[in-house]
Amino acid sequence: MCSGGFARCLGFTLIPLCIVCVLCNILLFFPGGKSVDRQNITDQVWYFGGILGSGVLMIFPALVFLGLKNNDCCGCCGNESCGRRFAMLSSMLFAGIGVVGAGYSVIVSAVAINRGPKCLFSNGTALDWGYPFSNGDYLGNATLRDNVCQEPGGVVPWHLSLFSVLLVMGLIQVALCAFQVINGLLGALCGDCCGGGDEH
């Protein structure tokens, strides 16, 4: 497949991933599917890893990748393929932006999973809002996971599943953008179709 066509496929793949990440981040504002006070929402939700990192910052590379196949730059210095080569080279910059955005989302999600959700729990003397888990100790302990948080109901599986989706989606986005860095380099060096000239 030509480098422009491959980039276009990557762009089509990134769009639904962006949408999923934005939706997951929005749902995290409603822990356990319930509306709670602003100060009782897990801190990492406010870092907008899914909305900014894997969402907004990923839209730019996705749109650039989608446009590479039909790039009809008039060329430069009398060489029609020069414009396409430059477009493939510039796509590497946008792929780098995508890696940074998705990487940010991955880091935020990993920290959130390790820290656990903010919830109402017994601190020994009274019920209080806070983070009852530490260093991911709840991940392998079903009893701890199910019995510590009093409110909101179902907050632990909600938190864990949505941040896990963000983590996985972010890793996939990082991989796809890394592929485009390689693809963009090949496209810049070889033209739109390696081994087939610069024809479409």
Side-chain angles (χ1 to χ4, degrees):
M1 180 185 291
C2 296
S3 55
F6 181 72
R8 187 174 176 83
C9 290
L10 291 180
F12 277 123
T13 305
L14 285 172
I15 295 294
L17 295 180
C18 294
I19 294 170
V20 169
C21 290
V22 169
L23 289 176
C24 284
N25 203 146
I26 291 171
L27 289 173
L28 283 164
F29 282 103
F30 304 94
K34 301 171 182 64
S35 180
V36 298
D37 291 339
R38 178 188 176 99
Q39 66 269 20
N40 295 331
I41 296 174
T42 303
D43 291 343
Q44 285 72 34
V45 177
W46 294 102
Y47 297 163
F48 300 107
I51 294 174
L52 292 179
S54 287
V56 174
L57 282 179
M58 195 57 62
I59 287 294
F60 297 112
L63 294 177
V64 169
F65 299 165
L66 285 172
L68 286 175
K69 175 65 177 172
N70 298 321
N71 189 319
D72 58 356
C73 292
C74 58
C76 55
C77 304
N79 185 351
E80 292 184 4
S81 70
C82 179
R84 286 193 293 274
R85 290 174 189 262
F86 179 76
M88 292 304 296
L89 195 59
S90 66
S91 75
M92 295 171 60
L93 174 63
F94 285 94
I97 292 172
V99 169
V100 170
Y104 171 72
S105 179
V106 167
I107 292 170
V108 169
S109 300
V111 170
I113 290 170
N114 184 62
R115 190 179 189 191
K118 190 173 190 178
C119 64
L120 186 68
F121 71 103
S122 174
N123 61 13
T125 57
L127 291 176
D128 191 20
W129 284 90
Y131 297 92
F133 309 114
S134 62
N135 296 323
D137 57 356
Y138 70 102
L139 295 173
N141 189 333
T143 302
L144 183 65
R145 187 167 58 237
D146 296 337
N147 296 329
V148 171
C149 287
Q150 306 296 316
E151 291 291 337
V155 66
V156 177
W158 185 270
H159 174 92
L160 186 57
S161 60
L162 290 174
F163 272 116
S164 294
V165 170
L166 282 174
L167 180 68
V168 172
M169 295 294 104
L171 290 172
I172 293 172
Q173 289 175 328
V174 167
L176 292 177
C177 288
F179 285 144
Q180 179 53 29
V181 170
I182 298 169
N183 182 50
L185 183 60
L186 291 175
L189 294 175
C190 304
D192 192 37
C193 294
C194 282
D198 293 316
E199 301 298 325
H200 290 289

